[in-house]
Amino acid sequence: MTTSRDEIFGKIRDVLTDALGVDDDEVLATATLQGDLGAESIDFLDIVFRLEKEFSIKIPKGELFPDDILNNADFVDGDRMTPQGLETLKQAMPHADFSEFESAPLVSKMPDLFTVNTIVTYVENKLAAV
Amino acid sequence: MRWIWIDCFVEFEPGERATALKNITLAEEHLHDHFPHYRVMPPTLVIEGMAQTAGILVGEAREFKENVILAKVKRADFTGYGIPGDQLRYEATIESINDSAAMTSGLVLRQGEEIAQVDLIFSHVNQSTRSSEMPDHNFVFTGMFMDLLSQFRDKAKQESSTTHAK
């Protein structure tokens, strides 16, 4: 049986309210994890573990939240990502919406790619591939 | 005072679960201030006891190759306190473990009665992921913690050979 996007969103909302101590109504589809929901780096570990348990999936390191792209000097030029870096990031995160980010790919704006919708799409893709 | 908040292991199933005991005594300085006429073991130190129990369990699961750092207290619900004369029992279980982190759940019991649930997240820090401020040796699993596990294993070995000798 397939799980609908709404059902996935509902479960992810529960995961995020538990992991981040936020209220249900704060977890909007467009909310960013760090900016809007106050997630810190450690919380990403917690979220990954909870998602694995909730959806019975395995999330390899860096697949949901790529964490090593900014460490590559070829991918960053000053305060923004290079075209090569942006392309690599897009390939690493097919579950993210780049429509705003790619017009001005500032490194400081990268956390905005991690929204509730990003996680919903990731889980949706993951479940569809099972 | 030594920063160790468990006295011994009584169960240790590698990669799965571990149980440690802590006897609370009036010789512990902090109890005389917390509080002067109502001495209870601070819940923060109960969390530390669980972190040490679960942390050694997590470290052992990866052969102590990495430092295991307490990253987040996911849950700490207390329904009771430990006082001098009590024995606390820390029951820790690994829920998930991977290259970068581990999640554990845990119960704290006082004379068999549950007084807390403490669920934790640990981060693995190895040579490639450590920050420049961290030492390059294993600064978590020092002799004191390794001795606890050695003592449990020695005792288990002795009991096993005594049973076989009968």
Side-chain angles (χ1 to χ4, degrees):
Chain A
M1 199 182 80
T2 56
T3 311
S4 73
R5 192 172 171 92
D6 283 349
E7 286 172 305
I8 293 171
F9 176 80
K11 289 181 176 180
I12 288 173
R13 185 180 52 211
D14 293 344
V15 161
L16 294 175
T17 53
D18 285 347
L20 304 175
V22 293
D23 292 331
D24 277 11
D25 56 7
E26 292 179 80
V27 186
L28 305 172
T30 53
T32 60
L33 297 187
Q34 286 173 282
D36 295 330
L37 302 180
E40 296 178 18
S41 58
I42 292 301
D43 294 319
F44 286 79
L45 294 174
D46 191 2
I47 291 167
V48 165
F49 278 134
R50 287 175 195 260
L51 290 173
E52 286 186 331
K53 202 166 184 180
E54 183 62 47
F55 294 100
S56 301
I57 54 176
K58 282 308 260 182
I59 302 178
K61 186 174 186 293
E63 190 177 85
L64 173 56
F65 305 118
D67 52 4
D68 55 355
I69 287 183
L70 295 181
N71 296 331
N72 188 324
D74 293 337
F75 295 163
V76 179
D77 181 15
D79 63 352
R80 59 184 57 219
M81 301 197 74
T82 62
Q84 187 190 359
L86 180 60
E87 196 47 45
T88 304
L89 188 60
K90 285 171 80 171
Q91 283 176 15
M93 293 184 71
H95 42 284
D97 177 1
F98 282 84
S99 54
E100 277 190 37
F101 182 75
E102 63 187 341
S103 60
L106 296 170
V107 170
S108 60
K109 292 284 181 192
M110 189 176 155
D112 292 350
L113 291 170
F114 302 129
T115 64
V116 176
N117 252 340
T118 304
I119 302 178
V120 174
T121 304
Y122 174 83
V123 172
E124 195 175 37
N125 293 346
K126 200 82 180 169
L127 293 178
V130 172
Chain B
M1 182 187 283
R2 304 293 172 123
W3 192 252
I4 186 149
W5 296 98
I6 51 179
D7 295 332
C8 65
F9 280 104
V10 289
E11 292 172 321
F12 202 98
E13 293 175 31
E16 301 283 337
R17 52 189 293 277
T19 303
L21 300 181
K22 158 70 183 165
N23 293 300
I24 305 174
T25 87
L26 266 181
E28 295 168 42
E29 288 285 338
H30 62 93
L31 289 173
H32 297 270
D33 299 315
H34 190 281
F35 300 93
H37 300 290
Y38 184 69
R39 298 183 178 107
V40 296
M41 182 160 171
T44 45
L45 292 180
V46 175
I47 294 172
E48 176 64 23
M50 180 58 78
Q52 294 184 354
T53 306
I56 293 171
L57 177 66
V58 169
E60 196 276 345
R62 297 173 68 87
E63 299 170 336
F64 299 108
K65 286 177 184 158
E66 298 142 322
N67 284 294
V68 172
I69 309 288
L70 176 60
K72 180 175 177 178
V73 178
K74 270 179 62 184
R75 173 179 182 177
D77 291 339
F78 285 80
T79 52
Y81 288 110
I83 61 172
D86 281 345
Q87 182 176 76
L88 300 187
R89 182 180 170 93
Y90 293 105
E91 297 181 350
T93 303
I94 293 180
E95 297 292 333
S96 305
I97 186 165
N98 61 31
D99 285 347
S100 52
M103 179 167 73
T104 63
S105 62
L107 292 179
V108 185
L109 299 100
R110 179 189 60 199
Q111 279 91 254
E113 178 200 355
E114 185 182 321
I115 61 162
Q117 173 148 10
V118 180
D119 300 341
L120 305 170
I121 291 183
F122 296 90
S123 180
H124 292 129
V125 179
N126 56 32
Q127 288 292 16
S128 62
T129 55
R130 75 184 175 87
S131 70
S132 57
E133 296 85 27
M134 289 183 177
D136 60 2
H137 59 276
N138 197 317
F139 56 91
V140 174
F141 297 112
T142 54
M144 198 168 57
F145 288 120
M146 300 304 279
D147 285 349
L148 275 174
L149 194 51
S150 304
Q151 281 164 11
F152 169 76
R153 285 178 167 155
D154 289 348
K155 196 175 168 200
K157 215 180 281 178
Q158 274 176 8
E159 285 174 358
S160 167
S161 60
T162 308
T163 308
H164 282 109
K166 280 181 184 172

